[in-house]
Structures are given as structure tokens and as C-alpha cells.
Amino acid sequence: MRIVYTTGILLSLIMFSCQEKVKEEVNKTAAEIKDAVIVHEEYTKPEPTEPEGTEYYEPKVPVVGPATNGRIPSDAIVLFDGSSFDGWMHTEDSTAVKWNVNKDGSMTVADKTGNIRTKQEFGSVQLHIEWRSPLPVQREGQNRANSGVFLNGIYEIQVLDNNDNDTYVNGQVGSIYKQGPPLAMASVPTGEWNVYDIIYHAPEFNADGGKTKSATVTVMHNGVVIQDHTEIKGTTPYIGWPKNPAHGKGPLMLQDHGDDSRVSYRNIWVREL
Ligand code: MG
């Protein structure tokens, strides 16, 4: 009886150990690079006396084609390639996009048709997007070529023609709308193409819907850092405080401000982080 009992315990221990090993292997893949760094940064060990003691070769870093000279990274998801609105829809009613595709491979807001969004949804991303304020210049302040890039579909990075056009600083070009002014105003002259390169980390929520970690955003505007790992305090409404509804992945959304903004976009791609 005792032998049977002991054998049972031994078998359970072996099975548990096997399951743990499988789990370990799965987790290892995702955490491999990070773990390797930690392991190799155990500075409490005796200090190596040879250069090889602080060098390691595994795991290999993935190879990604570069985003220079008009190329896009080899692992990027192209959201707009200049040919059609496949992959996009109107936010309000999910209908086909009524904005205009131009012969030069860009798109332009069609006034009062509504915001548009990608069908695909994302969490944390590296986003590249180019935009242009139109000539001739029309209107003043927030009504001059106003659009916006909404991360996760709800957090607006402002797009505005701010050239010789003052407005509230937490709503100027490159701001997290009504929250965080940019560190610099780095727009090109009106009529030329601007570039936003954005690194966005999505917020985290617990099971009860409470926010446990704020979203953050870094924005390079034409190569100039204008948001430096800035905390996003919540949604970016026109009126009122930021709100923090729990959410998962969301679309990239572009704004139709409804006042003949004539803003154009092109070369939009993301890499999921
Ligand atoms: Mg806007």
C-alpha cells in the first residue's frame, strides 16, 4: 500500500515537473532577449578579467530592413499605400471612406464626412505618418487645417497649421490635445510634408477596469523630439477632463475637424511593439 502511495506521489511530481518545463520553454521564447541581458548584467559576480567575459552571442537579435531613403521597415504593416482605402472605414457608421485618394499617393480629408479609422486594431505601436497643411491658407487658430492622429482611436496628437497662427499651446500642433504641449514647434512651411514618428505604449487596466499604468507617447516631428515619453492622462476631449475608460487594442483614427481643413496624409505604417 505504502509503495503504491509513494509511486503515485513520484508520478505526480514528475508530471508537474514536465508541465513546468513546457511552460518554461514557452515563456523563454518571449523573454529570451530580456533575460539574457539580465543574466549578463549580474555585476555581483567576480569581475571578468578578459574582454570575452562580458560578451555574448545568443539569442540573436532579429533583422529588420531599415526605414531610410523612402523604404519602410521590412516588418511594418502598411496602413495606407496611396492606392485605396482598403483597410479603412468611417468611425461613426463603419461605411466606406468618403475622403479623397489623390494622384500623388496621398489622401485628403473630405470636409464633414467624418473621422476615419483603420479596420485593424493595435496596442502599443511605432507609427510613421506624413501630413500636409494646404495652400492657400484659410481661417485662424484651431480652424486652420485642423486634423489629428488618434492613438488607440481615442488619444489625439494634434495636427494643425500653426505657422504664424497662434492658439492655446496645449492644443497646438504636436500637442496631446488639451493635455500636453509639445516641447518644440517643428513644422515645415505650409504646403510641405510633415513627418510624425510616434512611439506609443498603451495603458493597462485591471479586471475591474481601473487604470494601473498610463499610456505614454514619444513623438518626433520632422526629426525633432516634441513629446518625450509623455504620460497620456486619458482621453482628449474638446470640453472637460481626460477620461480613462478601460480598453484593449484600438484603431488608428484620423480626424475630420469639419471645417474644410483640407489636410492630406500619406505613407502610413506601423510596427507593433
Ligand atoms: Mg485636431
Side-chain angles (χ1 to χ4, degrees):
M1 191 69 182
R2 180 178 270 181
I3 293 168
V4 173
Y5 180 69
T6 310
T7 310
I9 291 176
L10 272 173
L11 279 171
S12 300
L13 279 173
I14 290 165
M15 276 176 70
F16 178 73
S17 157
C18 286
Q19 283 168 345
E20 283 305 295
K21 200 153 188 188
V22 171
K23 245 195 260 174
E24 225 172 78
E25 282 300 313
V26 170
N27 290 336
K28 196 177 147 199
T29 315
E32 226 171 12
I33 292 170
K34 202 174 172 188
D35 283 352
V37 172
I38 292 164
V39 167
H40 287 275
E41 284 184 355
E42 283 184 356
Y43 297 143
T44 52
K45 287 178 180 172
E47 186 171 13
T49 53
E50 299 296 329
E52 293 79 9
T54 48
E55 297 164 5
Y56 62 97
Y57 294 84
E58 298 289 343
K60 295 287 185 200
V61 172
V63 174
V64 176
T68 51
N69 301 325
R71 290 178 294 222
I72 64 166
S74 54
D75 63 348
I77 301 166
V78 176
L79 298 179
F80 180 70
D81 68 359
S83 62
S84 79
F85 283 114
D86 290 351
W88 294 78
M89 59 187 176
H90 276 286
T91 308
E92 280 286 294
D93 54 11
S94 307
T95 54
V97 174
K98 297 167 198 74
W99 293 17
N100 303 303
V101 175
N102 308 312
K103 282 181 183 159
D104 66 357
S106 64
M107 63 159 100
T108 301
V109 177
D111 188 33
K112 293 187 174 64
T113 56
N115 302 330
I116 65 169
R117 52 154 288 183
T118 55
K119 290 175 186 168
Q120 197 171 348
E121 299 192 328
F122 308 96
S124 301
V125 289
Q126 174 187 350
L127 166 68
H128 175 96
I129 185 164
E130 301 176 19
W131 58 271
R132 180 177 63 188
S133 307
L135 287 170
V137 167
Q138 292 178 0
R139 307 185 183 215
E140 302 297 323
Q142 290 285 314
N143 295 320
R144 182 181 295 177
N146 189 331
S147 185
V149 175
F150 284 72
L151 304 164
N152 237 139
I154 48 178
Y155 308 119
E156 181 181 10
I157 305 299
Q158 177 70 295
V159 168
L160 189 75
D161 182 356
N162 254 135
N163 296 322
D164 301 315
N165 181 36
D166 277 346
T167 186
Y168 43 95
V169 296
N170 60 344
Q172 77 171 68
V173 64
S175 63
I176 301 169
Y177 185 67
K178 291 266 179 112
Q179 283 182 36
L183 297 169
M185 199 301 219
S187 292
V188 294
T190 304
E192 295 183 17
W193 284 98
N194 288 272
V195 180
Y196 276 171
D197 281 297
I198 296 173
I199 298 168
Y200 166 72
H201 286 279
E204 293 173 13
F205 301 88
N206 60 28
D208 299 327
K211 190 167 79 169
T212 55
K213 195 177 178 186
S214 287
T216 60
V217 69
T218 296
V219 181
M220 306 273 281
H221 183 187
N222 298 322
V224 176
V225 177
I226 61 163
Q227 297 288 350
D228 184 8
H229 200 63
T230 312
E231 178 187 1
I232 298 177
K233 294 185 172 65
T235 55
T236 51
Y238 179 40
I239 299 170
W241 301 127
K243 309 294 187 298
N244 284 283
H247 62 81
K249 289 184 171 187
L252 171 69
M253 187 173 86
L254 302 177
Q255 184 185 40
D256 165 19
H257 196 255
D259 49 12
D260 192 23
S261 76
R262 298 168 295 140
V263 172
S264 298
Y265 291 96
R266 71 178 185 187
N267 297 336
I268 309 171
W269 52 258
V270 292
R271 295 180 64 238
E272 294 182 290
L273 299 176

